[in-house]
Amino acid sequence: MIIKELNFNPEQVSEFEKLKTEHHDGMTKFMEEGKRIRAQYFDLLKSEKTETKLKDSLQGLIAVNQQNIEEWTFDHFTKVRALCDDKQKIKFDEIIDEVLKHMNGPRHGGTTPHH
């Protein structure tokens, strides 16, 4: 979507593909970590008595992981915008909300982007 909408030239496409791969790899790691932490968190339901400190600690880890996802995505799109010429930056600013909506899709908890 981004390549088409911004009409990237071949050099921009090459750089964008590198950024996209970098972002996807990082997001995969964050998502795997999030799943692992959430599994530990919800395993607490199996206990008759939940230790509050452990529950609070896992909630904090979930929050930090989500913060990392948001920061990683923000940094990715900062780099993508930096690839743009002035005219493309205007178009980028117009489409970024739609791109982000497309990334999050109907699934809960966000997804990796589909460019």
Side-chain angles (χ1 to χ4, degrees):
M1 176 178 181
I2 288 178
I3 292 169
K4 181 182 173 188
E5 288 291 327
L6 299 179
N7 196 27
F8 276 168
N9 65 39
E11 183 180 323
Q12 288 172 313
V13 170
S14 176
E15 288 300 312
F16 175 75
E17 291 298 334
K18 290 176 193 174
L19 290 175
K20 187 170 78 168
T21 299
E22 175 187 87
H23 184 254
H24 180 266
D25 292 348
M27 289 296 288
T28 298
K29 290 176 187 174
F30 289 128
M31 298 305 257
E32 288 171 1
E33 180 69 3
K35 286 179 187 176
R36 186 187 65 73
I37 296 167
R38 282 181 182 84
Q40 288 179 317
Y41 180 70
F42 285 102
D43 278 349
L44 296 175
L45 291 171
K46 299 173 186 173
S47 175
E48 293 298 320
K49 184 178 180 187
T50 302
E51 186 180 325
T52 302
K53 283 186 182 184
L54 179 56
K55 181 181 169 218
D56 290 349
S57 176
L58 290 169
Q59 286 174 339
L61 291 173
I62 290 168
V64 167
N65 188 66
Q66 187 61 42
Q67 181 179 359
N68 289 337
I69 288 170
E70 300 302 329
E71 183 176 3
W72 188 254
T73 300
F74 186 90
D75 289 349
H76 167 71
F77 283 112
T78 298
K79 292 173 186 175
V80 171
R81 191 175 188 277
L83 289 177
C84 297
D85 62 28
D86 289 343
K87 185 177 177 182
Q88 290 167 326
K89 284 179 182 174
I90 293 167
K91 182 68 174 175
F92 177 93
D93 294 346
E94 292 172 0
I95 68 167
I96 189 60
D97 288 340
E98 189 62 34
V99 170
L100 293 171
K101 285 178 192 173
H102 179 73
M103 278 179 56
N104 290 325
R107 291 181 261 180
H108 177 69
T111 65
T112 53
H114 302 113
H115 300 287

